[in-house]
Amino acid sequence: MRGATDKELIAEVLEGNPESFEPLVVKYQPRVFAIARRYARREDEVEDIVQTVFMKAYSKLSSYRGDAPFEHWLMRTATFTCYDFLRKHQRNREWNATDLSTEENEWLENVGEDTTEKEANQSAAKALVDRLLESLKPDDRMIITMLDLEQKSVKEIAKLTDFTESNVKVRAHRARDKMKKILATLAPEKYL
Amino acid sequence: MKKIEDILERLLAETREIPANDRVPYAFEKRIMAHIKEAPATLADAWSVWAQSLWKAVVPCLAVLVMVAVWMKAPADGSGATTPQGNAAPAVANFEAPGEEDLESIVMLAIDPDSTGE
């Protein structure tokens, strides 16, 4: 079992040996966890997403044709599972400047200035980005996350999501516009 | 004056710098494998549910069969109201079975096409 390739392990699973799926889970679960944490905040939600991804992958393993690496196929399954999660848990909460934490307000006050508290700055920035992303539609949120945070190419995103490349660009543009509008409502006198 | 676009870009850039959290809970793969090992049982359950529903369908299917048979037989008993021919017996297609010679020539045609003229 040790040192077997993905294709060998998959063949063994399809021959009726489910134990051969475990090395695949061990190998790819960190990546799937990292993806899931981009879309879900609570750790129990993250674990549910990852579990669903691997259960789907196992049950649909016979549909994996082997012409692309297993990792790509699995990441596509993870992307669709995260998309389903976002659709089911779409919050679209309205919020304004008074909802921001002290750290988030400070980040907006001091933006552009070099501060020594880099880590605190980053977590405040992440909290603000999370708020902005939550106000987007699930598919727009996925595209911005992949494009601007994971720095995937438009082509890669199109492959992962089944959108055309031009559709990805249009959605990204529209989503950024929406994020800018929300940012502008936070402190219009400062930023406009 | 700070531009909104720059602010958004800076927000995204700072968030990008945070390394992806790929920490895996202890023995998470065991949890996945436990669910996977339960999966065939679930599949077997699905088959038993399917078989049960098929058995349940037997009685209504038989009932429909009997009703159709009764309905088919009714005009032949002479009530006749449901057919345009009145009391006439329903028309039945009459196929004559091929004679023994015909059957032999059909079989021989398949074996030896040249023997048809004899």
Side-chain angles (χ1 to χ4, degrees), chain B residues 63-106:
Chain B
V64 170
L65 186 73
V66 169
M67 282 164 64
V68 170
V70 168
W71 180 75
M72 294 279 283
K73 196 160 170 53
D77 286 346
S79 61
T82 56
T83 59
Q85 290 96 344
N87 288 336
V92 177
N94 191 13
F95 295 102
E96 280 182 16
E100 231 177 83
E101 280 180 22
D102 291 341
L103 187 65
E104 193 179 318
S105 62
I106 290 167

Side-chain angles (χ1 to χ4, degrees), chain A residues 18-19 21-22 26 29-30 33-34 37 47 50-51 55 58 107 111-112 118 121-122 125 129 148-149 151 180 191-192, chain B residues 1-2 4-5 7-8 10-12 14-18 20-25 28-33 35-37:
Chain A
E19 282 80 19
F21 195 67
E22 191 170 341
V26 172
Q29 60 184 354
F33 264 99
R37 286 197 180 101
E47 289 180 13
V50 177
Q51 185 180 312
M55 294 302 288
Y58 178 79
W107 191 95
V111 64
K118 195 178 178 190
N121 256 358
Q122 283 179 341
V129 168
D148 288 336
L149 299 182
Q151 295 196 291
K180 279 185 242 170
Y191 302 128
L192 293 176
Chain B
M1 200 179 343
K2 295 161 185 171
I4 286 290
E5 200 160 337
I7 309 258
L8 180 61
R10 203 169 173 100
L11 267 176
L12 293 169
E14 289 210 20
T15 308
R16 265 197 302 270
E17 281 177 24
I18 301 172
N21 180 0
D22 60 359
R23 188 186 59 79
V24 177
F28 191 78
E29 65 278 4
K30 301 290 175 206
R31 174 172 148 182
I32 303 277
M33 292 313 292
H35 281 284
I36 282 172
K37 279 168 191 164

Side-chain angles (χ1 to χ4, degrees), chain A residues 7-33:
Chain A
K7 281 188 180 173
E8 286 165 351
L9 291 168
I10 291 164
E12 284 173 26
V13 176
L14 293 175
E15 281 165 14
N17 183 15
E19 282 80 19
S20 296
F21 195 67
E22 191 170 341
L24 292 168
V25 177
V26 172
K27 185 175 176 183
Y28 293 113
Q29 60 184 354
R31 275 209 68 188
V32 180
F33 264 99

Side-chain angles (χ1 to χ4, degrees), chain B residues 42-57:
Chain B
T42 315
L43 198 66
D45 287 345
W47 280 113
S48 65
V49 168
W50 173 242
Q52 274 177 8
S53 54
L54 279 182
W55 276 114
K56 281 180 189 167

